[in-house]
Amino acid sequence: MPPAIFIDADACPVKDEVYKVAARHGLRVTVVANRFMATPREEFVTFHLAPEGPDAADDWIVEACAPRDIVVTADIPLAARCLAKGAAAIGPTGKPFTESSIGSALATRELMSHLREIGEVTGGPRPFGPRDRSQFLQALDIAVRRALAEAARSAT
């Protein structure tokens, strides 16, 4: 079974890039969100409307993803849960989440959350730009090639 790509889509700025890469490699894409959004009318793209509620879309993605699948998300806890299932996880800026980096990412997320709660940190992430888009395309292509190679090895 070839890998699939899942998009945590509510605030994802790279959906179009995912569609292009998936079409080139013949992969299925599932777009998951808590509200309806338009998706391309292509056979390889499906949309899943998750129920309202905290983490409902995340829970659905974790349940649906399998080893070698690829999840596109900026949500660090979701990335950690997907990695635990054997899926790859990539942020929209092209940063891959890995087993060796996820612990640090979770800890940093908690620290920043705590600092915001006590009023120490203001502002948010830097604006998403063309360089981020380029890095994402490169990271996604690497992840897809790796997943396809692993799928081919396991089929023999």
Side-chain angles (χ1 to χ4, degrees):
M1 185 84 166
I5 302 175
F6 293 87
I7 303 174
D8 180 15
D10 283 323
C12 182
V14 291
K15 292 185 284 294
D16 289 337
E17 288 77 6
V18 173
Y19 304 143
K20 289 175 188 171
V21 171
R24 187 171 62 238
H25 291 282
L27 301 180
R28 295 176 294 116
V29 175
T30 303
V31 178
V32 183
N34 294 99
R35 59 182 170 76
F36 177 79
M37 60 180 54
T39 58
R41 294 183 187 267
E42 301 286 347
E43 270 187 40
F44 69 92
V45 178
T46 58
F47 176 76
H48 177 79
L49 181 62
E52 289 294 321
D55 299 326
D58 297 357
D59 293 343
W60 191 90
I61 291 170
V62 170
E63 184 66 31
C65 76
R68 292 189 296 277
D69 287 344
I70 300 164
V71 177
V72 177
T73 184
D75 185 318
I76 296 168
L78 172 58
R81 294 171 64 194
C82 293
L83 287 172
K85 285 197 69 178
I90 302 171
T93 60
K95 181 178 180 179
F97 296 101
T98 65
E99 291 293 333
S100 61
S101 70
I102 197 68
S104 174
L106 285 166
T108 299
R109 178 185 178 275
E110 285 301 313
L111 174 62
M112 296 307 286
S113 176
H114 175 70
L115 290 173
R116 278 189 298 275
E117 285 174 6
I118 62 173
E120 291 294 322
V121 177
T122 59
R126 64 180 173 75
F128 186 83
R131 184 170 183 216
D132 297 314
R133 196 171 304 281
S134 176
Q135 288 175 326
F136 173 77
L137 279 167
Q138 183 178 15
L140 181 60
D141 194 60
I142 290 167
V144 166
R145 290 176 190 273
R146 183 177 297 132
L148 289 169
E150 289 175 10
R153 277 194 299 274
S154 69
T156 57

